Amino acid sequence: MSSSRKVVELFYDVVSPYSWLGFEILCRYKTVWNIELQLRPAFLGGVIKESGNSSAALVPNKLLYARSDLKRLSQYFSVLLCFPENFHNAYAKGSLSAMRFLTAVSEKQNSGDVMIERVSREIWKRMWSADQDITLPASFSEAGLKAGLSATEVEELLQLSKCQLVKDRLKLTTEEAVKHMAFGFPLIVCHVDGKAETFFGSDRFEVMAHCIGEKWLGPQPDEQTAKI
Amino acid sequence: MSSSRKVVELFYDVVSPYSWLGFEILCRYKTVWNIELQLRPAFLGGVIKESGNSSAALVPNKLLYARSDLKRLSQYFSVLLCFPENFHNAYAKGSLSAMRFLTAVSEKQNSGDVMIERVSREIWKRMWSADQDITLPASFSEAGLKAGLSATEVEELLQLSKCQLVKDRLKLTTEEAVKHMAFGFPLIVCHVDGKAETFFGSDRFEVMAHCIGEKWLGPQPDEQTAKI
């Protein structure tokens, strides 16, 4: 069965709230559409730099709009997302260590994407629901434990996240995203008939569904499929 | 009846292909949804400058992505949109005179938005379908005649577009867009229960419909309503 499933890659960074929306929608649809969802933790700072883009956070109207847009989308998509009180401070701290930790989780996992999905969600919840730190080892420990990892596993992952192997892997994934035309996140790459169809942002699901021969059922597909 | 209709304003510039998509979708829906569509020609160059944003055309990956994204959206939305062969050249020439001409059309009209809709579409078709100039008086004449204006009316509008009144009107509309958080176009402002809900881009129609109490029926609402 897996050979007939279309591969959909999600390149994301937990510092990006739009990435969280895209992540939750794709996690909901992975059991509705005939797709194999591959979660690809990458580094937004690297993408911004490599692509020559400038951060959206530097344009006051973009930031004002994002606050209003994300408030609406949070309700519409049912993802409990609120801006950190001191967003600029939280954003300036960056996400390099968080994305290295997630890359370590991704390297270690051997049973599909279950744990990378859970840990990513817990880190997003820290920054984008609870206004908590996502830069310190203690923060990753707490997120890992909540996601269902043991204390020993968390400790191993913290060590692994400092290894060159993991640093290089994150760099490679980020470069791969840039080759797929990334200038920000989320970037969703759908492999259709040997061709890569790339979608930026969390606002192309209807067109994406059309591209992969599936149907967009809105942000709550389970409720919709229950009705059919 | 008109008092119960929700006002939806579209701020746009003909140099922006995403504005064209938003324009066509809203023109299709103005007879499907209970809205009063107000077309607001404005100047993208002014918005970019005033908001401190940088042009998307300067980031190579953004431009590459836009080409691929617009090709897909053009098909999905059924709007015949193709990139001008020498896009950078066409873009560098700017749209100030085109938007002044459209502002003159908007000032002159006295029977709803019929003519501003037609002339805007003809100018978009020049740049984004036929790879033709949109900076010279002869180009506006041709677009105006195709839209159904007489030669005398076109001549009057060309004169009017050079008046201070029209220059000031375009500046005011552009400033109004910036006050509504614009950092690019299209910007769609929906007036709902005394509050302005602002949407940037041509990818929020599903959420917008939800906000104004209407239903998104896809890019071809007439075909969908015919089925119901």
Side-chain angles (χ1 to χ4, degrees):
Chain A
M1 180 193 169
S2 69
S3 67
S4 71
R5 289 196 295 168
K6 293 191 174 89
V7 170
V8 173
E9 296 178 89
L10 171 68
F11 292 87
Y12 66 97
D13 186 317
V14 289
V15 83
S16 149
Y18 286 101
S19 289
W20 190 15
L21 298 178
F23 166 89
E24 292 297 352
I25 292 292
L26 288 176
C27 287
R28 290 173 198 170
Y29 271 87
K30 71 179 177 177
T31 53
V32 177
W33 290 341
N34 189 29
I35 58 170
E36 181 192 328
L37 176 61
Q38 293 181 354
L39 298 175
R40 309 290 313 270
F43 179 48
L44 181 61
V47 163
I48 299 282
K49 195 178 163 202
E50 286 302 310
S51 67
N53 199 4
S54 52
S55 169
L58 300 176
V59 178
N61 266 4
K62 262 193 192 175
L63 201 57
L64 264 178
Y65 176 75
R67 279 180 187 270
S68 138
D69 187 46
L70 284 165
K71 194 174 169 189
R72 262 186 327 233
L73 293 177
S74 156
Q75 287 170 3
Y76 191 68
F77 285 5
S78 297
V79 175
L80 186 59
L81 194 156
C82 352
F83 251 73
E85 197 166 351
N86 191 337
F87 168 73
H88 280 292
N89 193 27
Y91 189 79
K93 284 184 181 169
S95 56
L96 187 58
S97 51
M99 297 321 294
R100 281 181 178 160
F101 184 72
L102 285 172
T103 301
V105 175
S106 185
E107 285 290 300
K108 261 290 199 191
Q109 72 185 357
N110 47 21
S111 55
D113 273 354
V114 179
M115 199 43 79
I116 182 72
E117 177 182 331
R118 286 192 198 156
V119 184
S120 298
R121 184 177 288 117
E122 289 303 329
I123 301 184
W124 261 308
K125 279 162 80 177
R126 289 187 68 83
M127 177 165 178
W128 288 102
S129 284
D131 199 354
Q132 290 174 326
D133 171 81
I134 62 155
T135 66
L136 301 170
S139 304
F140 307 138
S141 289
E142 206 175 307
L145 293 171
K146 276 196 179 173
L149 291 166
S150 70
T152 317
E153 286 171 319
V154 166
E155 197 47 48
E156 279 173 13
L157 288 165
L158 284 172
Q159 290 306 316
L160 184 59
S161 70
K162 293 174 198 156
C163 294
Q164 199 56 42
L165 170 92
V166 159
K167 292 179 183 175
D168 291 345
R169 164 62 58 200
L170 179 60
K171 203 161 173 275
L172 277 172
T173 307
T174 304
E175 285 168 2
E176 205 181 320
V178 174
K179 278 183 199 148
H180 278 301
M181 303 186 283
F183 51 89
F185 281 149
L187 191 83
I188 303 168
V189 182
C190 302
H191 297 272
V192 186
D193 302 329
K195 206 186 146 211
E197 286 279 352
T198 300
F199 298 87
F200 167 68
S202 295
D203 33 39
R204 291 282 186 277
F205 293 114
E206 188 181 320
V207 187
M208 186 188 306
H210 181 75
C211 261
I212 61 173
E214 297 282 355
K215 205 168 153 49
W216 171 244
L217 301 164
Q220 302 285 0
D222 290 337
E223 288 175 17
Q224 292 305 315
T225 44
K227 278 185 207 162
I228 291 168
Chain B
M1 179 190 169
S2 70
S3 66
S4 71
R5 288 196 296 168
K6 293 190 173 90
V7 170
V8 174
E9 296 177 271
L10 171 68
F11 293 88
Y12 66 96
D13 186 316
V14 289
V15 83
S16 149
Y18 286 102
S19 290
W20 191 15
L21 298 178
F23 166 89
E24 292 298 351
I25 293 292
L26 288 176
C27 288
R28 289 173 198 170
Y29 271 88
K30 71 180 177 177
T31 53
V32 177
W33 290 341
N34 189 28
I35 58 170
E36 181 191 329
L37 177 61
Q38 293 182 354
L39 298 175
R40 309 290 312 272
F43 180 47
L44 181 61
V47 163
I48 299 283
K49 195 179 163 199
E50 287 301 311
S51 66
N53 200 3
S54 53
S55 169
L58 300 175
V59 178
N61 266 5
K62 262 193 191 174
L63 201 57
L64 265 179
Y65 176 74
R67 278 179 186 268
S68 136
D69 186 47
L70 284 166
K71 194 174 168 188
R72 261 185 330 231
L73 293 177
S74 156
Q75 288 170 2
Y76 190 68
F77 286 6
S78 296
V79 176
L80 187 59
L81 195 156
C82 353
F83 251 73
E85 197 166 351
N86 192 337
F87 168 73
H88 281 292
N89 193 27
Y91 189 79
K93 283 183 181 170
S95 55
L96 187 57
S97 51
M99 298 320 294
R100 282 181 178 160
F101 184 72
L102 285 172
T103 302
V105 175
S106 184
E107 286 290 300
K108 261 290 200 190
Q109 71 185 358
N110 47 23
S111 55
D113 273 353
V114 179
M115 200 43 79
I116 181 72
E117 177 183 331
R118 285 191 199 157
V119 184
S120 298
R121 183 176 289 118
E122 289 304 328
I123 300 183
W124 261 307
K125 279 162 80 176
R126 289 187 68 82
M127 176 166 178
W128 288 103
S129 285
D131 198 354
Q132 291 175 325
D133 170 80
I134 61 155
T135 66
L136 301 170
S139 304
F140 307 138
S141 291
E142 207 175 304
L145 293 171
K146 277 197 180 173
L149 292 166
S150 69
T152 317
E153 286 171 319
V154 166
E155 198 46 48
E156 278 173 14
L157 288 165
L158 284 172
Q159 290 306 317
L160 183 59
S161 71
K162 291 174 200 157
C163 295
Q164 198 57 42
L165 170 93
V166 160
K167 292 179 184 176
D168 290 346
R169 163 63 56 201
L170 179 60
K171 204 162 173 274
L172 277 172
T173 308
T174 304
E175 284 167 3
E176 204 181 320
V178 174
K179 278 183 198 148
H180 278 301
M181 303 187 284
F183 50 89
F185 282 148
L187 191 83
I188 303 167
V189 183
C190 302
H191 298 272
V192 186
D193 301 331
K195 205 185 147 213
E197 286 278 353
T198 301
F199 299 87
F200 167 67
S202 296
D203 34 37
R204 292 281 186 278
F205 292 113
E206 188 181 322
V207 186
M208 186 188 305
H210 180 76
C211 261
I212 61 172
E214 297 284 355
K215 204 166 153 50
W216 170 244
L217 301 165
Q220 301 285 0
D222 289 336
E223 288 175 19
Q224 293 305 313
T225 45
K227 278 184 206 161
I228 291 168

